[in-house]
Amino acid sequence: MPKMLVTRPEHDDTTFYLSAWAGLVVKEARQRGIAVFDLLREKANRQHLQSLFQTANPDIVMFNGHGSEHMITGHEQEPLIVCGENDGFLNGRVVYAVACRAALQLGPSCTSTGGCRAFIGYDDDFVFYSDTSKTSHPLLDRVARPPMEASNQVPLSLIKGNSPAEAFARAQESFRKHIRSLIRSRDPEAPYILQALIHNMTHLRFCSAGHYE
Amino acid sequence: MTPLTEEDWELARHRVASMPSHIALSIGSMGSLNKEEILRHIEKRDDAGRKIVALQLAYLKFFKSEMEKIADA
């Protein structure tokens, strides 16, 4: 049975939403009997993360938070994984990063040498629209739901035992499914939800040794 | 990044102006932006404004290509 580690900082509206939706992945993984190391809020710090990489040795890692070309951050923007500094902790693991632009440099770099098994992430900002009346209840927000559900297909597919390439393909299909269902919608929010879906689908990347798409 | 034309900025401004005011855009570390804040970024033509215009243009381009596919089918 694989082991999974999830980081869920919660220090602003964006991380609060990502954390809530990643909570569904944590729940599903536990229901399937997978050991999940859930680094929530203050626990999403570098020391705790590195310690768990050494002691628990998770196979699947899901990062939620902010990021840049060369790093992924945790609670209160603490750098968790920095390219060329501590990305060796990703070796042998499958990583999904819902963190802006991490698939631009960090993903290709940590997979190019064959260290990290696979890295799925975004080479631009991860974007979504939300309903401001639902800020305290992200899971009830139907404006944020489509991009979050499509994004969650990556880890949900991985915990079902699919390969990283299959998880990437299933997420792309989920983006397309949501786009198809919204493209004829007359809801005033639909064009904006579609913007987020199209953007995130276009910028989702899959990196493994010798492979980038 | 492709340079944005005057027409691109205007088009994006018009589209955001018709956005429902109860929704907000979360765009990476720029945080959650409401309609007024989005319009301000477009007016200032700053980095966030550029991102927002790019989002609108990508959506319109995608929509156009889908419509062409339907027309060709």
Side-chain angles (χ1 to χ4, degrees):
Chain A
M1 191 67 80
K3 287 179 276 184
M4 183 180 202
L5 186 150
V6 182
T7 66
R8 294 198 291 148
E10 286 185 358
H11 55 270
D12 56 24
D13 287 348
T14 302
T15 51
F16 186 64
Y17 262 70
L18 295 180
S19 171
W21 284 92
L24 298 181
V25 175
V26 171
K27 195 174 165 189
E28 175 69 21
R30 285 185 172 145
Q31 277 173 356
R32 288 176 173 269
I34 292 171
V36 182
F37 304 93
D38 184 16
L39 303 192
L40 182 61
R41 300 189 194 102
E42 290 81 4
K43 285 184 186 167
N45 66 67
R46 187 168 182 159
Q47 190 186 6
H48 207 148
L49 178 80
Q50 294 188 167
S51 165
L52 275 172
F53 276 141
Q54 287 167 326
T55 57
N57 197 24
D59 309 279
I60 302 167
V61 183
M62 180 187 190
F63 290 104
N64 297 278
H66 295 301
S68 70
E69 291 87 338
H70 63 280
M71 76 162 78
I72 297 167
T73 63
H75 199 66
E76 300 293 357
Q77 304 274 47
E78 180 184 356
L80 296 180
I81 294 290
V82 181
C83 193
E85 198 177 300
N86 68 343
D87 54 344
F89 281 107
L90 304 180
N91 287 355
R93 311 186 204 283
V94 176
V95 175
Y96 177 46
V98 193
C100 300
R101 299 193 296 279
L104 207 54
Q105 189 185 332
L106 177 61
S109 165
C110 71
T111 51
S112 62
T113 55
C116 175
R117 261 186 72 203
F119 188 105
I120 302 171
Y122 298 85
D123 68 1
D124 199 341
D125 292 328
F126 180 83
V127 305
F128 62 94
Y129 281 88
S130 59
D131 181 337
T132 53
S133 71
K134 297 287 189 295
T135 310
S136 313
H137 304 283
L139 298 181
L140 300 179
D141 190 336
R142 64 180 186 86
V143 175
R145 177 181 291 271
M148 295 298 183
E149 277 186 351
S151 159
N152 272 358
Q153 281 309 306
V154 176
L156 289 174
S157 184
L158 290 171
I159 62 179
K160 286 173 188 163
N162 291 307
S163 70
E166 285 165 337
F168 173 74
R170 285 186 181 212
Q172 291 282 23
E173 183 47 41
S174 180
F175 276 115
R176 280 192 289 271
K177 191 186 94 187
H178 281 294
I179 289 168
R180 279 195 298 269
S181 78
L182 278 164
I183 212 156
R184 289 179 180 85
S185 168
R186 290 176 178 225
D187 282 354
E189 299 95 349
Y192 304 92
I193 304 171
L194 278 166
Q195 275 177 29
L197 286 166
I198 292 163
H199 178 87
N200 294 341
M201 179 179 76
T202 308
H203 292 281
L204 184 67
R205 292 285 174 266
F206 170 60
C207 327
S208 65
H211 185 95
Y212 185 82
E213 68 174 279
Chain B
M1 193 183 277
T2 320
L4 299 173
T5 65
E6 192 63 35
E7 194 181 317
D8 294 335
W9 287 99
E10 253 326 276
L11 182 65
R13 194 181 65 76
H14 276 290
R15 289 192 55 79
V16 174
S18 60
M19 172 177 139
S21 46
H22 67 280
I23 65 173
L25 170 64
S26 229
I27 186 161
S29 54
M30 290 169 195
S32 187
L33 307 170
N34 63 30
K35 182 174 172 174
E36 300 310 315
E37 290 166 327
I38 295 173
L39 284 170
R40 259 202 303 280
H41 283 296
I42 291 177
E43 275 166 28
K44 281 200 231 164
R45 301 197 174 189
D46 57 15
D47 283 348
R50 289 187 152 277
K51 284 258 171 207
I52 293 156
V53 175
L55 261 182
Q56 303 281 346
L57 295 178
Y59 163 73
L60 292 171
K61 197 172 158 191
F62 180 89
F63 212 82
K64 183 172 175 272
S65 102
E66 288 302 299
M67 290 301 113
E68 281 169 358
K69 274 184 215 164
I70 291 168
D72 292 343

